[in-house]
C-alpha cells in the first residue's frame, strides 16, 4: 500500500474499513472541538488577558487544519470517484471544502491579529465537520434509521406543527384583544403577543411578559394547559415512529442471520 | 371537459384526482398564509409607516379571494351534491362560506380605510381555510389516523386531564392556605393561587408569582415535581396510542397487498 | 320495581346497568363541579359584592346534597351488602360518607353566615366525589388498565424517581458550594439551593433565583441539560408501559370474541 | 448457623436470600436517609438554634454507622470471595469502604464540634450507599433492563445529544450576533449567550436574560420552538427503547415457563 493510499484510508471516512472512525479522523475531531471551544471563549471580554494563549492555540489549529486540507486534497485521487484529472478541482470546489477553507482562513487572520468582530464567527464554520460522522458506518446507520422514521411520519409531524402554529396564533390574537389596552408595550400588536405565546406554549416562560387582567390570565391559563398537548403530541408521534423503526431493524437483522 | 368542470376540479379538493393538492389550491394556500401574515403585521404600531404597502397587498388579496369565492360558487354545481337548483344557495350559506365572506369583507373594508380595531382581527378568520387540507387524501388519512388514536384512548386522556385538574386545584388550595397571609396579592384567593398553579404544573414558570414562605416553597417543590408526571402521563398515553394506530395501518396495508 | 329500588339504581354506581353514569348521578356530578367552582370563587376578595349570590347558590347546593345524602342512606339496604340491620350505620360511618357530611355541614355553615376562613376550604372536600367515577364501568376499566401498567413498572419508575432525587440533591450541593458566598440569601444552605434545583430540574424556572458566578452558571447549565433526561425517562417508561397494557387489553378482547 | 454468618447474611446484599432487602439493611437505608436529611438541614443558618439537636442525631448516626462498618468488616470473611487472609484488608481498601469511612469520620468531627464548612458536605458522601440497592434482586433486574435499553440505543441518544449541542451553539452564536450590541452584559460573548441558549432550549426559561431586539426575539422564538424537538427526540428514543426492552423481558419470561 502506497503512502498516499494510507493517508487516504486514514482521512476518507468511506475508505476506513476498521469499524468506527480512523485514528487520524478521531484526532481531527478532537482538534475541531478544541478549536471551536477556543473560538467561543475568545469572544468573552473578561478573558481578554488570555488572548495571546488563544492566539497560540489558533496557530496550532491553523497549521493542523491547513496540513489536513492539503493532505486530503493530495490523497483524494485514491478515491475512484475523484481519480480523473479534474477530480481534485471538483473536490476543492465542493461546498464542504469551501466551508473548511473559510474556517482555516479565519484562523490565519486571527493569528496575524486581523480576526476581530464577525470574522471570528467564521471560525465556527468548522463545526459543520461534525456532520462527517454521519458517514461513518455505525453512526450513519442510526442517522438513517432515525431519519427514515421521522420521514415516514412526516405528515403526522407536519400536522402537529400546523396545530401548534394555529394554537400559537389564536393565543396571540386572543391575548392581543384582551390585554392590548392594559399592556400596550407587551400585547399592543399580534407580533408582540406572539412573543408571549411562544414563550408560554413551549413552556419556556421567561416571565418578561405575562397577562395582568383577569380575562388575560384565564385565556393564558388555558393556553398554558394546551402547551402540554403541544409537547406531548410530537413526543408521542416520534416515540411510535422510533418504536416502529427499531422493530423493523430487528426484523431485518433476524432475517439476515441468527447472530443479531 | 368544459371550462367550468376544469375550474371545479382545480378548486374542489375532493374533485382533484392527481395526488396532494391542486396547483390553484396550492396558490390559494400561499395567498392565505401571506394575507394572514400581512394582517398580523398590520397590528404592529411601529410598522405604521408600511401601512400603504399593507393596504396595497390587501387590495390584491381582496381581489384574489373575491374572484376565488365567485369561481367556487359558479363551478360548484359540477359537484353532484350541489347540482340541484338550490345547491349554490346551500353552499353560499354553509358556515365556511360565511367565514370566508366575513374575511373578504374585512379585507375590502381595510382597502377603503375602514378596517380599524377589532375588524382587523376578522381578516384572520381566513386562517380556518387551513382545515381544508384535512380533506386532501394524504393529509386526511394522517388526520383520521391520529384522531382515531386519540379518540380510542379518550377515556385514558380524560383521566389524565382529571388527574391534572385535581392536582391543579389541590396545589392552589394548599398554597392559598399557607401563602395567603404573606402574599395576599398573589395567593389571597384560590383563583389567584390557580394562576400560580397553572404556571407551575405546566412548567411554564413565568416567575411573576412564587411562594416565599418555607412551607409554601416545600409544597411548591412537590407540586413542581408532580408536573413531570402531568406532562409524562398524556405523552405516554399518546405514544402508546399512536404506536397502536401505526401498527394497525401497517397491518391493513399488508392485508391489502404486498406493495405497501 | 319499588320506588326505593329505583332510587338506589339511580344513586348507586354499581347498580346502574345502562352504560356510563346514571342521569341522577350525572346531575349530581354537575352540581359537585358547580359547588366547587362557587366555593373557589367565594375566596376571591374582589368578588365580595357577589357574596349574596354565592350564598344563595350554596343554599341550593346544601339542600340538594343533604337530600342526596338522605336518599342514599335510605335506599342503601337495596344493596345486598348493606341489607342487614347494621348496614345503614356501616355506610354512614364509611370515610366517604363522613367526607360528604363535612362538606355538607360546611355548606350549611356558610348559608347561616358562619363559613368564614379555613371552614370554607372544607367545602372543597366534596371534590373527592369525582373518584366515584372510577367505579363506573368504562372509566373504571381505563383506571385499572393505566394503574396496572404503572404498578407493573413501579420499580422502573421508582428508579427514575431515585435518579431524579440524586441529581436534585447533587445539583443543590454543587450550587451551595460555588454560589453560597455570592448569594447567601438564595444559595446559603442546601435546602435553599434545593428550591433552585427543583425549579431548574423540573424546567419550571421561576427565575427568582439563579446562579450569577461563572462556575455556578456552568454547573447550572449542566443541571438544566440533565432536566431533559429527568423528564424523558419517566415519559419513556410510561409510554412503554401503556403500550404494553393496551396490547394486552386488545389481545384479551380478541381472545374473548371477534366482535372487539 | 453461626452468629457471624447470621450477621453477614443480614449485611451482605448478595447473601440475603429472602426477596428484597434484609431487615438490617432496610434499617441502615432509613438511617442513611435520616443522616443525609440532618446534614442537609444543618447547613441552613435559620435553623442554627437546632444545632445541638442535629449534633445529638449525628452522634447516634456516627455510632450506628461505625458499628455497622465494624460488623461488616468482621463478618466479611463469610463471603467466599473474601475468605482468604487478606480479604478483610481488600474490603477495607475498596472505594466504597473509603467513601463510608470519610462519611463516618465527618460525622465524628461534627460530634466533636469540628465539622464546619465544606467538611459538612463530606457527610453527604454516604448518599452513594443508595447505589447498593442496585445489587438487590428486583431493583437490580430493573436497573439492568433500563440500562441495557439505554445502551442499545446509545448511538441514537448520542445523535440526539449532538443535535441538541449543535442547536445550542448555533442559537448562542445567532443571538450573540444580533443582541451583543443591545445587551453587552447578557449577550456580549458566545459563552454568555450560551447561558441564555441553555435556559431556553431546555425550556427552563429563568427570564434573567432574554432578547429585546426584534431580530433577537424572532430568532429566540424559533429556538424556543426547536426546544420541543430537543425534548421530544430523546423522550421518543427512550420510549421506543424501553418498549423493546420490556417486550424482550416478557418473551424471555414466557420462554422460561407459563407462570410469568
Amino acid at each position: 500500500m502506497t503512502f498516499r493510499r494510507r493517508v487516504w484510508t486514514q482521512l476518507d471516512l468511506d475508505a476506513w474499513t476498521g469499524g468506527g472512525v480512523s485514528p487520524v479522523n478521531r484526532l481531527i475531531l478532537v482538534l475541531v472541538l478544541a478549536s471551536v471551544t477556543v473560538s467561543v471563549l475568545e469572544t468573552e471580554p473578561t478573558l481578554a488577558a488570555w488572548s495571546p494563549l488563544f492566539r497560540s492555540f489558533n496557530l496550532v489549529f491553523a497549521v493542523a487544519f491547513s496540513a489536513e486540507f492539503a493532505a486530503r486534497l493530495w490523497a483524494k485521487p485514491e478515491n475512484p470517484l475523484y481519480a480523473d484529472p479534474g477530480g481534485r478541482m471538483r473536490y476543492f470546489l465542493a461546498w464542504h471544502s469551501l466551508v473548511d477553507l473559510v474556517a482555516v482562513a479565519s484562523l490565519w487572520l486571527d493569528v496575524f491579529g486581523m480576526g476581530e468582530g464577525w470574522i471570528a464567527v467564521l471560525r465556527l464554520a468548522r463545526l459543520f465537520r461534525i456532520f462527517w460522522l454521519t458517514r461513518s458506518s455505525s453512526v450513519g446507520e442510526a442517522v438513517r434509521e432515525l431519519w427514515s422514521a421521522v420521514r415516514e411520519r412526516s405528515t403526522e409531524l407536519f400536522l402537529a406543527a400546523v396545530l401548534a402554529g394555529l394554537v400559537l396564533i389564536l393565543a396571540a390574537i386572543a391575548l392581543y384583544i384582551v390585554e392590548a389596552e392594559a399592556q400596550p408595550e407587551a400585547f399592543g400588536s399580534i407580533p408582540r403577543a406572539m412573543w408571549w405565546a411562544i414563550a408560554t406554549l413551549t413552556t419556556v416562560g421567561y416571565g418578561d411578559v405575562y397577562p395582568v387582567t383577569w380575562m388575560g390570565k384565564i385565556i393564558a391559563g388555558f393556553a398554558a394547559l394546551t402547551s402540554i398537548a403541544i409537547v406531548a403530541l410530537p413526543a408521542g408521534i416520534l416515540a411510535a415512529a422510533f418504536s416502529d423503526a427499531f422493530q423493523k431493524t430487528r426484523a431485518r437483522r433476524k432475517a439476515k442471520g441468527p447472530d443479531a
Side-chain angles (χ1 to χ4, degrees), chain A residues 26-40:
Chain A
R26 244 178 256 184
L27 175 70
I28 290 170
L29 201 66
V30 169
L31 283 178
V32 166
L33 291 180
S35 137
V36 166
T37 307
V38 166
S39 295
V40 161

Side-chain angles (χ1 to χ4, degrees), chain A residues 149-150 153 156-157 160 227-245:
Chain A
V150 167
R153 297 297 160 200
E156 281 86 356
L157 290 169
S227 75
I228 293 178
I230 282 172
V231 174
L233 211 56
I237 294 170
L238 283 179
F242 292 156
S243 195
D244 255 33

Side-chain angles (χ1 to χ4, degrees), chain A residues 141-162:
Chain A
E141 197 186 340
V143 167
R144 270 189 300 276
E145 194 179 40
L146 290 184
W147 184 241
S148 83
V150 167
R151 253 205 1 220
E152 198 169 338
R153 297 297 160 200
S154 57
T155 319
E156 281 86 356
L157 290 169
F158 170 72
L159 273 175
V162 166

Side-chain angles (χ1 to χ4, degrees), chain A residues 76-165:
Chain A
K76 201 68 196 177
E78 292 287 335
N79 186 330
L81 293 167
Y82 293 90
D84 57 307
R88 257 193 201 123
M89 186 49 79
R90 248 185 307 126
Y91 180 73
F92 185 83
L93 294 174
W95 75 269
H96 52 89
S97 299
L98 295 176
V99 167
D100 271 12
L101 266 186
V102 165
V104 166
S106 170
L107 274 174
W108 282 115
L109 280 175
D110 184 68
V111 171
F112 295 121
M114 295 179 297
E116 297 296 300
W118 61 269
I119 289 180
V121 173
L122 292 179
R123 259 168 266 154
L124 296 161
R126 186 163 298 278
L127 201 62
F128 289 100
R129 265 297 173 84
I130 226 154
F131 287 122
W132 268 8
L133 273 171
T134 60
R135 271 202 279 160
S136 92
S137 56
S138 70
V139 175
E141 197 186 340
V143 167
R144 270 189 300 276
E145 194 179 40
L146 290 184
W147 184 241
S148 83
V150 167
R151 253 205 1 220
E152 198 169 338
R153 297 297 160 200
S154 57
T155 319
E156 281 86 356
L157 290 169
F158 170 72
L159 273 175
V162 166
L163 209 70

